[in-house]
Amino acid sequence: MNPALRKLVRKAEPTPAEIDAFVAANAFPLVDGRDITFVWRGRADAVYLRCWISGLDTAQPLQSLPGSDLWAATIDLPEGSRIEYKFEVVKNGHSELVLDPFNDVLAHDPFGANSVCQGAGYERPPWTLHDPDARSGSLEIRHLHSKVLKGTREYQVYLPARFRRNRRYPLLIVHDGIDYLRYADLKIVLDNLMQSLEIPEMIVAMTQSPDRLNEYSGDDRHAAFVAEELLPELEAHFPLADDPRSRGLMGASFGGVASLHAAWRYPDSFGCLLLQSGSFAFSDIGRHRRGKVFDPVVRFVNEFREAPGCPAEKIYMSCGIYESLIYENRSMVPRLQQQGIEVRFEEARDAHNWENWRDRLRNGLSWLYPGPVWFVYE
Amino acid sequence: MPRRLLLGPQRPVRNLGEAVDAAGFADAPMAVISAGWQEAEGDTNDVHELVRRPLEDLRLYGRAEAVFAADPALHAAYRRRQDRLQELQRLYQLRLKQLMVAARLTLRASGESDLVAAELRHAISQLRALDRHHLNRVQSIHAEFESAYSRHSSELLAGHAAEIERQLAGCRSVLITGGNVVVLLNRLRLFGVHRMLGRHDLVAWSAGAMALSDLIVLFHDRSAQGRRDPEVLAPGCSVLPGYVFLPNAKRRLRTRDEVRVDLFSRRFSPGVCVTLDSGADLLFDDNRLVRAGIARQLQTGGELARLRVA
């Protein structure tokens, strides 16, 4: 148990005022090297720590601390880790998932918010924070009627701050791009990395599928949308470098599958891929156990692993070691390298979430799209 | 004899004004080349505050943009040249990577010293041969472009070059700022300015200083992607041949990595690799070094040493 908490409960019955003072004086969860102590306060039948970490039980019970209304659980978390969690509070047979009321650090995703535990040594990278000195790029909302997807799709285009029509820009197409903007601070990251010259001024198109579990699962129609409709549309409207090496696809989770699939279906169209926690489920024999939604993914990944070809010249991959997909991602690396593809793979002490993907953007983007820092001597 | 004053980055130490005065530059109008700043070209209020002399910006970046807009064929050929140079640099990198690994391992190798020394000499000579070959290839691509598009064949370029010469004639000295060294060099070459500088007093910092040498070497050991092997970019203006200038070396170069410094020095020898950190001021009377200040020379053995002045 955390030493400060142990000191508090060593008293037979700490008063509410003493507990209030303890809560006010500490940041939660309590971080003591690798020991992380989660604390909840209140009356309940049971309290569980719910965090989605492959390798740990999904629900870990907090212990009621005698003589108080405090509950606590300590887990061992390696340095540099970052995890997201909630508490499950059970009262009168009903359970409810709640944020940690003592922790203001939250991460958001399309399903809401989670509390964030920043383990010892984790620091949010400064280049993910708004820098008032960084020139701000602009976002333009555009629409494209897709014949293959039978409907109009909205997408956004990021243009660098000093955009000029007589220049030629590299292009990145981002799957779940609007989510990347909302939950992974993509615009701030682009502004900052361009300001520090770590990536070149570039054009970034952000798409968002209304049916991502189907369209991103290895669907040929989606690949055709990206390569035959969106890409020509962008070429027609923006000054893009015409070298495939200057064009890339990016995505996380199923978005990683969609990126790899589109590049595989249209070789020589995209020179680089940035794949984060790709859902690269496969089966060597028999049925996979990831549920029906993964059926088309597994079909594609099995086919891909059989005949990968050369979907891109450079591929940056990242994955959290606290997510079950780490094994599939690790196993993808040598398969890609066997094809002569230049692969950079990064593992992080994090899980399947947007801030993990945000924190890896600098390494991925600056490797795939090296900026002029190499040429600039101020 | 014309003087050449080379400085490090003007942040945090802004020594431009005092260095220019100490070098005895005439209190007369200065031509400015700030093309390395690209769109920010001409934004020289800070420079003016420091040098307190009338400034005449040659607007090489702006002129080039105007030329490209007016002559699409020239612009297309220019882009084609840049694509070829980029491709060439990529191929050079492929070969350089292997030779650098071999040289580094040989430099660290233990064993009978005469055997190691002979292999190291050969490893370094292979590196030098590759660098030389690359430099020649870059030069020939530039020459190919310049034979087709030069001030002698393009009225547009000739007009700008003549204007630039008139501007230069009214200035005793030329100031070249830092910035993007590729952009700077390309603009200098486009208007033939690299051949017009010889008779002027020159003050240049960072990228500007690099461009005055006969060999421009790109380097950065501390980028997001970690260390990268130094690469030959192109020949510079050759006003100060025999030097490789390394601006902001404290920040960009792992100067405490003896193997890296040693290899850097051997590879570009007999050229002298000189650090130009903020606060540095290196003064030449024509080609003769007369003041070195805090600038240091990378040495075989991995040390940084003071420069010898005449």
Side-chain angles (χ1 to χ4, degrees):
Chain A
M1 186 186 292
N2 177 274
L5 188 59
R6 189 184 305 123
K7 191 175 164 193
L8 175 74
V9 297
R10 195 179 291 150
K11 280 191 68 178
E13 277 197 20
T15 64
E18 286 173 324
I19 295 175
D20 288 345
F22 172 79
V23 168
N26 287 282
F28 294 88
L30 301 161
V31 178
D32 185 22
R34 289 173 62 117
D35 289 339
I36 311 293
T37 302
F38 295 86
V39 177
W40 187 79
R41 187 181 186 187
R43 300 290 166 201
D45 301 326
V47 182
Y48 298 93
L49 172 68
R50 296 290 299 266
C51 52
W52 297 268
I53 296 180
S54 179
L56 292 183
D57 293 336
T58 305
Q60 301 191 64
L62 276 72
Q63 303 300 319
S64 171
L65 302 183
S68 76
D69 56 356
L70 292 175
W71 300 70
T74 300
I75 66 168
D76 174 43
L77 196 65
E79 289 197 359
S81 297
R82 182 196 156 283
I83 60 170
E84 298 185 8
Y85 67 98
K86 279 193 171 89
F87 290 129
E88 180 183 0
V89 179
V90 183
K91 287 181 187 171
N92 304 320
H94 296 287
S95 71
E96 187 185 7
L97 285 174
V98 298
L99 296 169
D100 182 344
F102 300 149
N103 182 359
D104 292 334
V105 185
L106 298 178
H108 296 84
D109 63 24
F111 307 104
N114 289 315
S115 297
V116 176
C117 166
Q118 299 177 339
Y122 172 85
E123 276 182 33
R124 179 171 175 174
W127 47 266
T128 67
L129 298 165
H130 173 68
D131 177 356
D133 292 334
R135 294 183 189 90
S136 178
S138 60
L139 289 170
E140 188 177 312
I141 297 175
R142 300 181 63 86
H143 295 87
L144 171 64
H145 180 76
S146 168
K147 285 183 185 164
V148 286
L149 296 177
K150 297 184 170 59
T152 297
R153 293 297 167 97
E154 182 177 296
Y155 64 100
Q156 293 197 27
V157 176
Y158 172 94
L159 299 177
R162 293 177 296 185
F163 173 72
R164 292 162 74 101
R165 289 234 157 247
N166 61 352
R167 288 233 178 145
R168 293 175 300 167
Y169 294 92
L171 170 72
L172 176 67
I173 296 174
V174 183
H175 294 88
D176 295 316
I178 309 305
D179 288 343
Y180 263 106
L181 288 172
R182 283 185 189 137
Y183 309 120
D185 296 309
L186 180 59
K187 180 176 179 298
I188 290 173
V189 170
L190 291 170
D191 287 344
N192 288 346
L193 295 184
M194 285 180 205
Q195 179 73 21
S196 61
L197 308 173
E198 292 186 55
I199 61 172
E201 293 182 350
M202 59 194 288
I203 292 175
V204 181
M206 284 148 290
T207 67
Q208 189 81 19
S209 167
D211 184 17
R212 66 188 297 282
L213 290 183
N214 285 312
E215 291 182 357
Y216 286 3
S217 62
D219 184 331
D220 286 348
R221 287 167 303 177
H222 175 266
F225 165 68
V226 171
E228 294 181 21
E229 296 182 332
L230 181 59
L231 182 58
E233 170 85 359
L234 293 167
E235 284 173 330
H237 286 91
F238 298 100
L240 301 179
D242 53 13
D243 179 357
R245 278 198 295 265
S246 306
R247 294 169 183 199
L249 298 174
M250 168 170 135
S253 191
F254 268 48
V257 175
S259 301
L260 180 65
H261 178 260
W264 182 61
R265 278 284 180 234
Y266 292 87
D268 302 325
S269 296
F270 303 98
C272 52
L273 301 178
L274 199 161
L275 311 175
Q276 302 195 287
S277 304
S279 303
F280 301 129
F282 65 95
S283 59
D284 286 319
I285 191 166
R287 286 195 55 76
H288 68 92
R289 295 180 184 171
R290 285 192 175 268
K292 202 168 169 44
V293 74
F294 271 83
D295 283 350
V297 173
V298 171
R299 267 198 301 277
F300 157 59
V301 178
N302 284 352
E303 203 180 334
F304 176 80
R305 292 174 66 90
E306 195 65 35
C310 186
E313 281 187 23
K314 284 176 90 174
I315 301 181
Y316 171 89
M317 295 172 62
S318 71
C319 193
I321 60 173
Y322 302 146
E323 49 182 317
S324 66
L325 287 164
I326 187 71
Y327 303 106
E328 284 87 344
N329 276 269
R330 282 174 182 158
S331 108
M332 186 65 92
V333 174
R335 194 71 194 90
L336 294 168
Q337 286 171 331
Q338 284 163 8
Q339 302 306 111
I341 298 167
E342 201 177 346
V343 182
R344 187 163 289 193
F345 178 53
E346 187 180 5
E347 299 186 355
R349 287 179 172 160
D350 208 320
H352 200 77
N353 62 65
W354 286 97
E355 293 192 0
N356 173 13
W357 302 330
R358 176 198 67 193
D359 288 359
R360 314 272 88 75
L361 286 174
R362 180 189 185 211
N363 283 354
L365 289 171
S366 67
W367 184 62
L368 294 173
Y369 296 89
V373 67
W374 181 244
F375 303 109
V376 175
Y377 301 78
E378 293 286 5
Chain B
M1 272 189 295
R3 268 155 296 182
R4 287 75 167 81
L5 174 64
L6 305 188
L7 309 174
Q10 289 305 296
R11 275 184 302 182
V13 181
R14 288 152 55 92
N15 63 339
L16 171 64
E18 63 196 59
V20 164
D21 289 341
F25 276 56
D27 190 6
M30 297 180 100
V32 177
I33 297 171
S34 58
W37 291 348
Q38 297 169 265
E39 286 87 352
E41 180 183 61
D43 189 3
T44 49
N45 289 343
D46 286 358
V47 176
H48 183 255
E49 272 177 29
L50 293 171
V51 297
R52 300 178 309 279
R53 289 163 172 81
L55 301 179
E56 174 99 16
D57 201 297
L58 300 185
R59 295 191 311 102
L60 301 188
Y61 186 83
R63 288 178 190 277
E65 295 296 298
V67 166
F68 294 151
D71 188 341
L74 187 149
H75 195 196
Y78 179 88
R79 279 182 165 174
R80 166 88 181 125
R81 183 196 75 182
Q82 289 308 106
D83 287 345
R84 277 170 62 73
L85 286 171
Q86 277 178 28
E87 182 65 17
L88 181 66
Q89 199 74 15
R90 203 175 67 84
L91 293 168
Y92 165 65
Q93 285 162 6
L94 291 179
R95 302 172 64 199
L96 178 63
K97 196 173 176 180
Q98 310 306 325
L99 291 182
M100 284 297 286
V101 169
R104 207 174 291 124
L105 290 174
T106 313
L107 193 57
R108 286 187 178 132
S110 55
E112 290 186 42
S113 59
D114 60 324
L115 291 180
V116 173
E119 295 313 304
L120 181 58
R121 273 197 302 277
H122 191 247
I124 299 293
S125 72
Q126 286 181 309
L127 270 171
R128 286 181 188 159
L130 175 64
D131 288 339
R132 212 166 33 244
H133 168 78
H134 181 60
L135 203 60
N136 290 338
R137 293 288 298 124
V138 169
Q139 183 69 310
S140 74
I141 290 176
H142 276 292
E144 203 176 287
F145 174 83
E146 285 161 8
S147 71
Y149 296 94
S150 70
R151 51 191 294 195
H152 306 298
S153 59
S154 159
E155 278 184 26
L156 203 54
L157 286 177
H160 282 289
E163 264 184 47
I164 292 165
E165 278 191 314
R166 275 196 296 277
Q167 282 183 290
L168 282 172
C171 299
R172 292 271 296 276
S173 54
V174 180
L175 182 153
I176 310 175
T177 71
N180 187 316
V181 70
V182 178
V183 173
L184 170 63
L185 188 67
N186 285 343
R187 274 28 177 203
L188 288 169
R189 291 191 76 125
L190 184 65
F191 299 107
V193 180
H194 60 307
R195 297 197 192 94
M196 303 178 190
L197 298 173
R199 60 184 182 277
H200 286 82
D201 285 343
L202 301 173
V203 53
W205 72 82
S206 296
M210 294 168 87
L212 293 182
S213 166
D214 58 343
L215 180 64
I216 299 175
V217 175
L218 304 174
F219 66 100
H220 203 321
D221 291 350
R222 300 177 198 274
S223 68
Q225 298 305 323
R227 62 188 69 179
R228 180 168 161 183
D229 293 321
E231 289 171 23
V232 166
L233 172 74
C237 303
S238 296
V239 173
L240 289 168
Y243 290 93
V244 174
F245 295 114
L246 307 172
N248 213 3
K250 268 187 190 156
R251 207 180 73 74
R252 294 180 76 114
L253 203 62
R254 290 180 189 270
T255 49
R256 290 185 181 175
D257 182 337
E258 290 181 357
V259 170
R260 217 162 164 75
V261 171
D262 187 339
L263 194 51
F264 207 122
S265 166
R266 286 176 196 263
R267 179 177 160 193
F268 297 110
S269 175
V272 180
C273 301
V274 180
T275 68
L276 282 177
D277 286 303
S278 191
D281 62 330
L282 205 61
L283 182 63
F284 294 84
D285 258 352
D286 202 9
N287 284 351
R288 195 168 57 94
L289 180 64
V290 294
R291 187 169 75 224
I294 64 166
R296 293 288 181 270
Q297 176 184 349
L298 272 58
Q299 285 201 313
T300 301
E303 300 282 312
L304 266 65
R306 287 176 181 278
L307 284 142
R308 285 199 194 134
V309 296

